[in-house]
Amino acid sequence: MPNKEMLLIPGPTPVVDEIYDALTHETYAHTDPRFVKIFKNSLEMTKKLFNTDGEVFVIAGSGTLAMEIAIINTIAPGEKLLVISHGYFGDRFVPLAKSFGIQVETIQAEWGQHVRKELVEEKLAEGGFKAVTVTHVDTSTGVMANLDQLVPVVKKSGALFILDGVCAAAAVEEDMQKAYGDPAYTMDVVLTGSQKAIGVPPGLAIVAFGPRALAAREAMPAVTGYYSDIKNWLPIMNDPGKYYATPPVNMIYAFNKGMEIVMSEGLGKRYQRHAALGRAVRAGLSVYGMKPLAPEETAAPTLSCILYPEGVIDAEFRARLAQKGMVIAGALASLSGKAFRIGHMGNATEKMFVKALELVGETLKEMGHEADIEKAVAEFTKIYHSV
């Protein structure tokens, strides 16, 4: 199925033909040995993606469900959670946790900036926090958290480290056995969805639990959920031929193919490609006077929040691009109308962004602004091949 548009929002991301083909495969029974084999294969690749020595869960649902699963299976009602937020999606942990009776405190960064490590140390020194959530890449701001700084601080306090990897997994390293300065300083939960850097259509919640997170669930007599209780899913993840709730058979086909593409490229090469693409896209757009909200030292490889030059009308700009077959996203909250968000992850290609820069330049000219398209493309190409 050929893509009729360039979908360059922060997710869903472009889907390639091989994944569409897998999605349209004949639906097998969910206990059919042929399907079970595919499901097992996708789970094995998911474990490799996160390099976990714990368990992974691939369940019908969205990234929001993955957030819920991570929270309710590690933190009991009345216990304390610290949310480290770099934007709108970090903030979403707050109402989610409160709805389950969890006590929540928050440290919020200025949009575009990192939370200062010292603030985290001071807050954790108060004691009593069962877990800390960090959004690896916040989809609202394009800021990537500094795990090298945050993981040791959190783990030293004794809290569990929960990483929201929705807009990072399969594009940025999320190694759950990586030690951040001490053998015990490793991440405990990583969660994501299928529709971002993995490059599969929306529909799957994906969560990896390390040994300490699994032990936390084991110590809880019950959780405030049924579908979200990992104890109900553990037997199925260990043997997908068993039944608990009907799995999304065709989505598993697509996910399996998407993960095969990820693994075929190689994780190291894939991370390098995303780093190069993010820098190059921002460099190309800067030629047009479009500046990223996040400076390069905090900017993510997967998406960018781009501030408009003076005089560019957001709704008109995005509408004109959409008419040309290029779809980008508006900004959120206080940045609404002042910026746009562009995704550059998953199956997105160099060729796609050369075309995107040309369309952006053409649109700016149509709206009465100057735009050196040749220079923008040249800058993009130079940076992409030099990173």
Side-chain angles (χ1 to χ4, degrees):
M1 177 168 60
N3 292 309
K4 297 178 181 179
E5 297 180 332
M6 288 199 301
L7 187 61
L8 302 182
I9 62 174
T13 58
V15 177
V16 296
D17 287 347
E18 299 97 307
I19 293 173
Y20 280 133
D21 290 344
L23 191 63
T24 61
H25 189 280
E26 179 182 359
T27 301
Y28 292 145
H30 55 282
T31 55
D32 188 305
R34 293 169 295 179
F35 170 69
V36 171
K37 182 178 179 181
I38 293 169
F39 202 170
K40 282 183 177 179
N41 188 56
S42 69
L43 292 170
E44 289 171 4
M45 289 187 287
T46 306
K47 284 189 173 183
K48 290 179 181 177
L49 173 64
F50 298 117
N51 189 30
T52 181
D53 54 351
E55 298 287 347
V56 295
F57 302 86
V58 178
I59 300 168
S62 69
T64 305
L65 175 65
M67 293 168 69
E68 180 175 305
I69 290 169
I71 292 296
I72 72 166
N73 286 280
T74 55
I75 312 166
E79 292 184 319
K80 289 172 63 178
L81 167 68
L82 177 61
V83 172
I84 297 175
S85 176
H86 292 101
Y88 176 85
F89 288 93
D91 292 346
R92 289 186 77 205
F93 275 107
V94 177
L96 191 157
K98 285 183 175 179
S99 72
F100 293 104
I102 296 167
Q103 297 182 48
V104 186
E105 296 189 36
T106 311
I107 300 176
Q108 293 174 311
E110 179 184 346
W111 278 30
Q113 302 298 319
H114 279 151
V115 165
R116 290 195 295 114
K117 180 181 74 169
E118 293 77 16
L119 293 178
V120 180
E121 289 174 325
E122 290 172 11
K123 178 55 69 174
L124 289 172
E126 297 175 8
F129 290 98
K130 178 71 173 295
V132 177
T133 61
V134 175
T135 302
H136 201 173
V137 172
D138 198 289
T139 313
S140 64
T141 60
V143 169
M144 183 166 71
N146 188 332
L147 299 186
D148 290 330
Q149 287 192 351
L150 294 176
V151 175
V153 171
V154 172
K155 297 308 297 180
K156 186 178 180 179
S157 76
L160 296 171
F161 191 98
I162 299 173
L163 186 70
D164 175 353
V166 167
C167 208
V172 184
E173 182 184 67
E174 294 179 331
D175 185 338
M176 294 181 69
Q177 294 194 67
K178 178 180 177 178
Y180 289 84
D182 183 285
Y185 293 174
T186 58
M187 296 186 291
D188 299 299
V189 180
V190 181
L191 64 99
T192 191
S194 55
Q195 75 277 16
K196 303 276 189 171
I198 295 173
V200 172
L204 295 176
I206 302 156
V207 194
F209 275 67
R212 286 183 295 266
L214 291 169
R217 171 62 190 93
E218 192 62 36
M220 300 167 71
V223 299
T224 50
Y226 180 67
Y227 187 77
S228 299
D229 186 350
I230 62 169
K231 274 201 167 184
N232 290 331
W233 287 104
L234 272 169
I236 284 71
M237 297 301 112
N238 291 323
D239 180 5
K242 294 180 178 178
Y243 176 76
Y244 167 56
T246 305
V249 172
N250 288 62
M251 276 301 302
I252 296 298
Y253 297 159
F255 178 62
N256 185 69
K257 176 53 67 175
M259 289 300 296
E260 285 180 347
I261 292 171
V262 168
M263 294 301 169
S264 177
E265 182 176 1
L267 293 178
K269 289 183 178 179
R270 193 173 179 89
Y271 301 153
Q272 184 178 25
R273 173 171 66 84
H274 279 84
L277 192 55
R279 286 181 177 271
V281 169
R282 289 187 289 271
L285 290 171
S286 70
V287 172
Y288 298 142
M290 296 177 155
K291 303 298 183 185
L293 172 69
E296 207 56 54
E297 58 267 25
T298 67
T302 49
L303 82 139
S304 299
C305 182
I306 305 294
L307 300 169
Y308 286 116
E310 188 174 346
V312 176
I313 301 171
D314 172 54
E316 180 184 355
F317 177 73
R318 290 190 290 116
R320 284 177 178 268
L321 280 179
Q323 290 172 356
K324 295 178 171 68
M326 175 180 165
V327 182
I328 56 175
L332 300 174
S334 63
L335 291 176
S336 180
K338 301 174 184 178
F340 66 90
R341 293 175 300 143
I342 184 167
H344 31 77
M345 64 182 127
N347 301 310
T349 63
E350 177 186 4
K351 182 179 178 181
M352 192 178 292
F353 279 95
V354 168
K355 180 64 175 176
L357 285 167
E358 291 172 348
L359 293 176
V360 168
E362 291 171 10
T363 301
L364 287 172
K365 286 184 174 182
E366 291 170 3
M367 296 174 68
H369 300 271
E370 293 185 2
D372 189 335
I373 296 174
E374 186 175 334
K375 183 179 179 182
V377 170
E379 186 68 12
F380 166 84
T381 304
K382 180 184 76 173
I383 298 298
Y384 183 73
H385 290 282
S386 65
V387 174

mmCIF file with all atom_site columns, all heavy atoms in Angstrom, residues 315-326:
data_model
loop_
_atom_site.group_PDB
_atom_site.id
_atom_site.type_symbol
_atom_site.label_atom_id
_atom_site.label_alt_id
_atom_site.label_comp_id
_atom_site.label_asym_id
_atom_site.label_entity_id
_atom_site.label_seq_id
_atom_site.pdbx_PDB_ins_code
_atom_site.Cartn_x
_atom_site.Cartn_y
_atom_site.Cartn_z
_atom_site.occupancy
_atom_site.B_iso_or_equiv
_atom_site.pdbx_formal_charge
_atom_site.auth_seq_id
_atom_site.auth_comp_id
_atom_site.auth_asym_id
_atom_site.auth_atom_id
_atom_site.pdbx_PDB_model_num
ATOM 1  N N   . ALA A 1 315 ? -1.405 28.005 11.370 1.00 0.00 ? 315 ALA A N   1
ATOM 2  C CA  . ALA A 1 315 ? -2.469 27.229 10.732 1.00 0.00 ? 315 ALA A CA  1
ATOM 3  C C   . ALA A 1 315 ? -2.347 27.265 9.214  1.00 0.00 ? 315 ALA A C   1
ATOM 4  O O   . ALA A 1 315 ? -2.521 26.235 8.536  1.00 0.00 ? 315 ALA A O   1
ATOM 5  C CB  . ALA A 1 315 ? -3.831 27.749 11.168 1.00 0.00 ? 315 ALA A CB  1
ATOM 6  N N   . GLU A 1 316 ? -2.037 28.422 8.664  1.00 0.00 ? 316 GLU A N   1
ATOM 7  C CA  . GLU A 1 316 ? -1.900 28.538 7.210  1.00 0.00 ? 316 GLU A CA  1
ATOM 8  C C   . GLU A 1 316 ? -0.690 27.736 6.719  1.00 0.00 ? 316 GLU A C   1
ATOM 9  O O   . GLU A 1 316 ? -0.770 27.038 5.698  1.00 0.00 ? 316 GLU A O   1
ATOM 10 C CB  . GLU A 1 316 ? -1.738 30.006 6.813  1.00 0.00 ? 316 GLU A CB  1
ATOM 11 C CG  . GLU A 1 316 ? -1.592 30.194 5.299  1.00 0.00 ? 316 GLU A CG  1
ATOM 12 C CD  . GLU A 1 316 ? -1.324 31.636 4.900  1.00 0.00 ? 316 GLU A CD  1
ATOM 13 O OE1 . GLU A 1 316 ? -1.351 32.521 5.783  1.00 0.00 ? 316 GLU A OE1 1
ATOM 14 O OE2 . GLU A 1 316 ? -1.064 31.867 3.696  1.00 0.00 ? 316 GLU A OE2 1
ATOM 15 N N   . PHE A 1 317 ? 0.415  27.849 7.428  1.00 0.00 ? 317 PHE A N   1
ATOM 16 C CA  . PHE A 1 317 ? 1.639  27.139 7.036  1.00 0.00 ? 317 PHE A CA  1
ATOM 17 C C   . PHE A 1 317 ? 1.405  25.629 7.004  1.00 0.00 ? 317 PHE A C   1
ATOM 18 O O   . PHE A 1 317 ? 1.714  24.956 5.999  1.00 0.00 ? 317 PHE A O   1
ATOM 19 C CB  . PHE A 1 317 ? 2.755  27.487 8.025  1.00 0.00 ? 317 PHE A CB  1
ATOM 20 C CG  . PHE A 1 317 ? 4.050  26.760 7.785  1.00 0.00 ? 317 PHE A CG  1
ATOM 21 C CD1 . PHE A 1 317 ? 4.868  27.093 6.722  1.00 0.00 ? 317 PHE A CD1 1
ATOM 22 C CD2 . PHE A 1 317 ? 4.460  25.735 8.637  1.00 0.00 ? 317 PHE A CD2 1
ATOM 23 C CE1 . PHE A 1 317 ? 6.071  26.429 6.504  1.00 0.00 ? 317 PHE A CE1 1
ATOM 24 C CE2 . PHE A 1 317 ? 5.651  25.069 8.425  1.00 0.00 ? 317 PHE A CE2 1
ATOM 25 C CZ  . PHE A 1 317 ? 6.459  25.413 7.354  1.00 0.00 ? 317 PHE A CZ  1
ATOM 26 N N   . ARG A 1 318 ? 0.827  25.097 8.046  1.00 0.00 ? 318 ARG A N   1
ATOM 27 C CA  . ARG A 1 318 ? 0.608  23.649 8.096  1.00 0.00 ? 318 ARG A CA  1
ATOM 28 C C   . ARG A 1 318 ? -0.451 23.198 7.097  1.00 0.00 ? 318 ARG A C   1
ATOM 29 O O   . ARG A 1 318 ? -0.353 22.107 6.522  1.00 0.00 ? 318 ARG A O   1
ATOM 30 C CB  . ARG A 1 318 ? 0.249  23.211 9.521  1.00 0.00 ? 318 ARG A CB  1
ATOM 31 C CG  . ARG A 1 318 ? 1.437  23.328 10.474 1.00 0.00 ? 318 ARG A CG  1
ATOM 32 C CD  . ARG A 1 318 ? 1.183  22.690 11.827 1.00 0.00 ? 318 ARG A CD  1
ATOM 33 N NE  . ARG A 1 318 ? 0.219  23.425 12.631 1.00 0.00 ? 318 ARG A NE  1
ATOM 34 C CZ  . ARG A 1 318 ? -0.949 22.966 13.007 1.00 0.00 ? 318 ARG A CZ  1
ATOM 35 N NH1 . ARG A 1 318 ? -1.336 21.736 12.632 1.00 0.00 ? 318 ARG A NH1 1
ATOM 36 N NH2 . ARG A 1 318 ? -1.771 23.696 13.744 1.00 0.00 ? 318 ARG A NH2 1
ATOM 37 N N   . ALA A 1 319 ? -1.459 24.028 6.868  1.00 0.00 ? 319 ALA A N   1
ATOM 38 C CA  . ALA A 1 319 ? -2.502 23.681 5.890  1.00 0.00 ? 319 ALA A CA  1
ATOM 39 C C   . ALA A 1 319 ? -1.920 23.642 4.481  1.00 0.00 ? 319 ALA A C   1
ATOM 40 O O   . ALA A 1 319 ? -2.255 22.749 3.684  1.00 0.00 ? 319 ALA A O   1
ATOM 41 C CB  . ALA A 1 319 ? -3.642 24.681 5.970  1.00 0.00 ? 319 ALA A CB  1
ATOM 42 N N   . ARG A 1 320 ? -1.076 24.609 4.154  1.00 0.00 ? 320 ARG A N   1
ATOM 43 C CA  . ARG A 1 320 ? -0.461 24.624 2.825  1.00 0.00 ? 320 ARG A CA  1
ATOM 44 C C   . ARG A 1 320 ? 0.444  23.406 2.621  1.00 0.00 ? 320 ARG A C   1
ATOM 45 O O   . ARG A 1 320 ? 0.458  22.805 1.537  1.00 0.00 ? 320 ARG A O   1
ATOM 46 C CB  . ARG A 1 320 ? 0.355  25.910 2.640  1.00 0.00 ? 320 ARG A CB  1
ATOM 47 C CG  . ARG A 1 320 ? -0.490 27.164 2.379  1.00 0.00 ? 320 ARG A CG  1
ATOM 48 C CD  . ARG A 1 320 ? 0.399  28.389 2.281  1.00 0.00 ? 320 ARG A CD  1
ATOM 49 N NE  . ARG A 1 320 ? -0.342 29.605 1.991  1.00 0.00 ? 320 ARG A NE  1
ATOM 50 C CZ  . ARG A 1 320 ? -0.556 30.077 0.767  1.00 0.00 ? 320 ARG A CZ  1
ATOM 51 N NH1 . ARG A 1 320 ? -0.057 29.417 -0.283 1.00 0.00 ? 320 ARG A NH1 1
ATOM 52 N NH2 . ARG A 1 320 ? -1.243 31.189 0.581  1.00 0.00 ? 320 ARG A NH2 1
ATOM 53 N N   . LEU A 1 321 ? 1.199  23.039 3.670  1.00 0.00 ? 321 LEU A N   1
ATOM 54 C CA  . LEU A 1 321 ? 2.037  21.848 3.561  1.00 0.00 ? 321 LEU A CA  1
ATOM 55 C C   . LEU A 1 321 ? 1.188  20.594 3.375  1.00 0.00 ? 321 LEU A C   1
ATOM 56 O O   . LEU A 1 321 ? 1.528  19.711 2.582  1.00 0.00 ? 321 LEU A O   1
ATOM 57 C CB  . LEU A 1 321 ? 2.915  21.697 4.812  1.00 0.00 ? 321 LEU A CB  1
ATOM 58 C CG  . LEU A 1 321 ? 4.177  22.548 4.889  1.00 0.00 ? 321 LEU A CG  1
ATOM 59 C CD1 . LEU A 1 321 ? 4.901  22.291 6.217  1.00 0.00 ? 321 LEU A CD1 1
ATOM 60 C CD2 . LEU A 1 321 ? 5.128  22.264 3.729  1.00 0.00 ? 321 LEU A CD2 1
ATOM 61 N N   . ALA A 1 322 ? 0.082  20.514 4.096  1.00 0.00 ? 322 ALA A N   1
ATOM 62 C CA  . ALA A 1 322 ? -0.797 19.353 3.980  1.00 0.00 ? 322 ALA A CA  1
ATOM 63 C C   . ALA A 1 322 ? -1.354 19.219 2.573  1.00 0.00 ? 322 ALA A C   1
ATOM 64 O O   . ALA A 1 322 ? -1.502 18.104 2.049  1.00 0.00 ? 322 ALA A O   1
ATOM 65 C CB  . ALA A 1 322 ? -1.932 19.456 4.998  1.00 0.00 ? 322 ALA A CB  1
ATOM 66 N N   . GLN A 1 323 ? -1.650 20.347 1.937  1.00 0.00 ? 323 GLN A N   1
ATOM 67 C CA  . GLN A 1 323 ? -2.131 20.310 0.557  1.00 0.00 ? 323 GLN A CA  1
ATOM 68 C C   . GLN A 1 323 ? -1.068 19.759 -0.388 1.00 0.00 ? 323 GLN A C   1
ATOM 69 O O   . GLN A 1 323 ? -1.387 19.188 -1.435 1.00 0.00 ? 323 GLN A O   1
ATOM 70 C CB  . GLN A 1 323 ? -2.547 21.707 0.113  1.00 0.00 ? 323 GLN A CB  1
ATOM 71 C CG  . GLN A 1 323 ? -3.821 22.213 0.790  1.00 0.00 ? 323 GLN A CG  1
ATOM 72 C CD  . GLN A 1 323 ? -4.122 23.666 0.480  1.00 0.00 ? 323 GLN A CD  1
ATOM 73 O OE1 . GLN A 1 323 ? -3.344 24.356 -0.192 1.00 0.00 ? 323 GLN A OE1 1
ATOM 74 N NE2 . GLN A 1 323 ? -5.250 24.158 0.978  1.00 0.00 ? 323 GLN A NE2 1
ATOM 75 N N   . LYS A 1 324 ? 0.187  19.899 -0.002 1.00 0.00 ? 324 LYS A N   1
ATOM 76 C CA  . LYS A 1 324 ? 1.299  19.376 -0.798 1.00 0.00 ? 324 LYS A CA  1
ATOM 77 C C   . LYS A 1 324 ? 1.642  17.932 -0.426 1.00 0.00 ? 324 LYS A C   1
ATOM 78 O O   . LYS A 1 324 ? 2.558  17.337 -0.992 1.00 0.00 ? 324 LYS A O   1
ATOM 79 C CB  . LYS A 1 324 ? 2.538  20.260 -0.611 1.00 0.00 ? 324 LYS A CB  1
ATOM 80 C CG  . LYS A 1 324 ? 2.399  21.677 -1.139 1.00 0.00 ? 324 LYS A CG  1
ATOM 81 C CD  . LYS A 1 324 ? 3.686  22.464 -0.846 1.00 0.00 ? 324 LYS A CD  1
ATOM 82 C CE  . LYS A 1 324 ? 3.704  23.821 -1.533 1.00 0.00 ? 324 LYS A CE  1
ATOM 83 N NZ  . LYS A 1 324 ? 2.706  24.752 -0.984 1.00 0.00 ? 324 LYS A NZ  1
ATOM 84 N N   . GLY A 1 325 ? 0.931  17.381 0.558  1.00 0.00 ? 325 GLY A N   1
ATOM 85 C CA  . GLY A 1 325 ? 1.165  15.998 0.949  1.00 0.00 ? 325 GLY A CA  1
ATOM 86 C C   . GLY A 1 325 ? 2.159  15.813 2.069  1.00 0.00 ? 325 GLY A C   1
ATOM 87 O O   . GLY A 1 325 ? 2.641  14.704 2.297  1.00 0.00 ? 325 GLY A O   1
ATOM 88 N N   . MET A 1 326 ? 2.474  16.886 2.816  1.00 0.00 ? 326 MET A N   1
ATOM 89 C CA  . MET A 1 326 ? 3.396  16.793 3.949  1.00 0.00 ? 326 MET A CA  1
ATOM 90 C C   . MET A 1 326 ? 2.653  17.211 5.215  1.00 0.00 ? 326 MET A C   1
ATOM 91 O O   . MET A 1 326 ? 2.160  18.330 5.311  1.00 0.00 ? 326 MET A O   1
ATOM 92 C CB  . MET A 1 326 ? 4.614  17.692 3.725  1.00 0.00 ? 326 MET A CB  1
ATOM 93 C CG  . MET A 1 326 ? 5.570  17.750 4.902  1.00 0.00 ? 326 MET A CG  1
ATOM 94 S SD  . MET A 1 326 ? 6.978  18.839 4.542  1.00 0.00 ? 326 MET A SD  1
ATOM 95 C CE  . MET A 1 326 ? 7.649  19.073 6.192  1.00 0.00 ? 326 MET A CE  1
#
